[in-house]
Amino acid sequence: SRQLQATVSKPNDLNGFVNNTMLLPLTAAVSKSFTPALAALPALAEGYQLTSPIQFNLNQVTASGGKENLKRLDTATFKLLSDDIIKEDFVLKAVLLDSIAALAKWNTTEIEVRGTVDRYSEVSFMLPITITNAPNTMDIELTSTSVVLKFAAPLSSLKTINARDFRAEVVYEHTTTGQFPVVISGLPNNAKQIVITPPTVSYLISE
């Protein structure tokens, strides 16, 4: 304590201290989350299609870094490592595009991509059209009483599908076009390339 008192009692001794430290502005790191996306879908063999949406092992990936760099990021796009032609359910690796990976620090640059596929085939059915919601006081005559329903579905599903599974109907409502759209119910969730012929029907009303 004596030495301390001696030092403080001589203020001129402090004049030799010079602070050579330069304080630099700090750039705060920020983070941003993205839903993964693929640059290109897997290559499927002819006649094969996805039976459900592609899934990733991560719902989101996170980037951290400078605010300006993150402003330039609007997606986290991954590229599949394999370009094999696919005929069956798959689990594939995908890596973040180099141009995107270089803009920030990512919690991961690799994800797993899963999908289910099946061979698709087209089927068609002729269905009678029914009218719903029509007032009892009206006699409505459709210009077409049936439609052709055509769609593609996995072969594994087609084995159990028949015309009784579907219903074609038009819902009566006041319209200025003189036509009702045909609504189909009963389609399997994995049906694709759906075509209804005709898609609308004209009608006549007598009261």
Side-chain angles (χ1 to χ4, degrees), residues 127-199:
L127 306 174
I129 302 174
T130 59
I131 304 175
T132 61
N133 201 41
N136 294 331
T137 57
M138 289 185 179
D139 183 12
I140 302 176
E141 181 180 351
L142 300 177
T143 56
S144 178
T145 59
S146 63
V147 293
V148 175
L149 168 66
K150 181 185 292 186
F151 63 92
L155 288 177
S156 57
S157 300
L158 294 179
K159 297 176 182 178
T160 59
I161 291 177
N162 58 66
R164 294 189 300 274
D165 297 326
F166 310 107
R167 177 182 173 89
E169 63 181 2
V170 294
V171 179
Y172 173 79
E173 60 184 357
H174 291 290
T175 173
T176 58
T177 63
Q179 294 183 322
F180 295 135
V182 179
V183 179
I184 302 293
S185 58
L187 281 166
N189 293 332
N190 49 17
K192 298 184 179 184
Q193 301 164 4
I194 302 166
V195 178
I196 304 169
T197 308

Side-chain angles (χ1 to χ4, degrees), residues 34-181:
F34 302 88
T35 300
L38 288 179
L41 292 174
L44 303 182
E46 185 176 357
Y48 286 79
Q49 297 190 40
L50 292 166
T51 59
S52 60
I54 282 179
Q55 295 183 332
F56 304 110
N57 66 320
L58 297 174
N59 292 327
Q60 288 190 325
V61 293
T62 302
S64 59
K67 187 176 181 179
E68 290 304 315
N69 275 355
L70 290 189
K71 280 184 179 179
R72 297 163 57 189
L73 282 172
D74 55 10
T75 183
T77 305
F78 290 77
K79 179 182 179 181
L80 292 170
L81 292 178
S82 171
D83 56 3
D84 293 342
I85 304 298
I86 293 174
K87 293 184 178 180
E88 58 187 10
D89 298 350
F90 58 87
V91 179
L92 301 174
K93 297 287 186 182
V95 294
L96 196 63
L97 293 180
D98 291 341
S99 58
I100 294 177
L103 292 176
K105 182 178 180 181
W106 297 82
N107 66 325
T108 183
T109 57
E110 184 177 294
I111 60 173
E112 281 187 353
V113 181
R114 299 174 179 268
T116 56
V117 301
D118 199 347
R119 190 176 185 89
Y120 271 62
S121 182
E122 283 192 350
V123 291
S124 63
F125 301 96
M126 182 171 287
L127 306 174
I129 302 174
T130 59
I131 304 175
T132 61
N133 201 41
N136 294 331
T137 57
M138 289 185 179
D139 183 12
I140 302 176
E141 181 180 351
L142 300 177
T143 56
S144 178
T145 59
S146 63
V147 293
V148 175
L149 168 66
K150 181 185 292 186
F151 63 92
L155 288 177
S156 57
S157 300
L158 294 179
K159 297 176 182 178
T160 59
I161 291 177
N162 58 66
R164 294 189 300 274
D165 297 326
F166 310 107
R167 177 182 173 89
E169 63 181 2
V170 294
V171 179
Y172 173 79
E173 60 184 357
H174 291 290
T175 173
T176 58
T177 63
Q179 294 183 322
F180 295 135

